[in-house]
Amino acid sequence: MNSEKAKTKKSTTVAFLGLGNMGAPMARRLLAAGYGLTVWNRTASKAEALVAEGAVAAASPADAVRGADVVITMLADPAAALAVADAIVPALRAGTTWIDTSTVGPDTVRELASRLPEGVALIDAPVMGSVDRAATGELLILAGGETAPVAGLLAELGSVTRCGEVGTGAALKLVLISGVIGGVALVAESLRLATALGLPPELTRSSLAASPLGGLVGRAFATDAYFPVALAAKDVSLATGVAGLPVLEAVRGVLVGRGDLAGEDLSALRD
């Protein structure tokens, strides 16, 4: 059985587009697992480490996906996803599965699906978890669409929660990530309130950690995660564009207003 799985991996060609903080460790896991891997990134130098480990670098998105069995994208926002779609859709062949792991919202996912040629399947599979979980293959993958044909590949990246039809994974991701972002912002303000009241920082932190906010306190003090404030602002903006969410609107205002923290991890809101 193991030898058959190894043969399947070696015969499955994967194109991975988007080698940022999340994409690179995800691609590395697939390469280490034995998949034939072609990679592309807008900044070509980000592919060099993976090429040194055995991946093949493509000069363009279309070159990356041409002939691939599976295409995986991990891109920053809807504009990037749609731009890459413009480049790759003409090069996709029937029988290809496109797995989009970006956080772009269900409207963009449905737009991507509408552009696909006959015989190409789309799975929206945004992930929960940061760079640490991407490296260890412990991401939570929120999947909309039919995942059975790529179940083994997805298992290398993490555990899959089947959400329903295409677009439902993207929808659930907005729900979960908005809760996390709003929660971390709330922890940051609770800490600020404690300081203003003259409470010892360690007493405040330990008490919050023992409260129902415990998981969010852990994320607020994480040192091995990286989720830039700028991307958090993008995610909350996607959510507030769907429904009236006054609390999240306030959080979005804070995130957008902290341009000094744009490239810092979300935990920097404590500062």
Side-chain angles (χ1 to χ4, degrees):
M1 180 65 75
N2 289 337
S3 63
E4 287 301 314
K5 287 183 179 179
K7 289 178 183 177
T8 298
K9 290 177 181 179
K10 290 180 180 179
S11 64
T12 300
T13 57
V14 179
F16 203 112
L17 289 73
L19 303 174
N21 294 298
M22 291 293 289
M26 291 168 67
R28 181 167 286 110
R29 282 199 59 82
L30 298 179
L31 185 62
Y35 287 96
L37 190 67
T38 299
V39 295
W40 174 85
N41 193 73
R42 184 174 59 180
T43 303
S45 60
K46 290 190 176 182
E48 292 174 355
L50 286 164
V51 170
E53 296 169 29
V56 175
S60 70
D63 287 342
V65 306
R66 196 169 283 116
D69 299 306
V70 179
V71 174
I72 303 176
T73 47
M74 173 54 93
L75 303 165
D77 52 37
L82 293 170
V84 166
D86 287 340
I88 70 174
V89 165
L92 294 173
R93 62 177 177 82
T96 300
T97 298
W98 177 6
I99 306 170
D100 182 44
T101 64
S102 318
T103 301
V104 294
D107 287 346
T108 298
V109 167
R110 285 188 283 267
E111 173 63 22
L112 296 177
S114 73
R115 299 185 183 190
L116 295 183
E118 186 175 352
V120 175
L122 176 67
I123 300 170
D124 59 304
V127 301
M128 290 293 293
S130 191
V131 291
D132 52 341
R133 291 182 177 267
T136 57
E138 296 178 289
L139 294 168
L140 173 59
I141 303 166
L142 309 172
E146 181 50 62
T147 60
V150 291
L153 183 151
L154 291 174
E156 299 291 346
L157 303 176
S159 60
V160 175
T161 295
R162 292 288 309 280
C163 301
E165 63 186 14
V166 171
T168 56
L172 184 57
K173 173 62 186 285
L174 289 189
V175 172
L176 298 185
I177 198 63
S178 295
V180 170
I181 295 167
V184 170
L186 177 61
V187 168
E189 292 212 345
S190 296
L191 293 168
R192 202 163 295 126
L193 173 61
T195 298
L197 292 170
L199 292 170
E202 284 307 313
L203 171 64
T204 302
R205 178 176 174 178
S206 63
S207 298
L208 283 170
S211 79
L213 292 172
L216 293 167
V217 174
R219 180 59 186 87
F221 284 89
T223 57
D224 53 359
Y226 182 64
F227 179 31
V229 168
L231 290 185
K234 177 265 297 182
D235 289 355
V236 173
S237 294
L238 288 172
T240 56
V242 174
L245 305 168
V247 173
L248 280 176
E249 283 283 9
V251 172
R252 189 189 73 83
V254 171
L255 296 171
V256 171
R258 292 303 305 269
D260 57 317
L261 299 180
E264 300 294 323
D265 179 64
L266 186 63
S267 59
L269 289 180
R270 302 192 334 264
D271 298 335

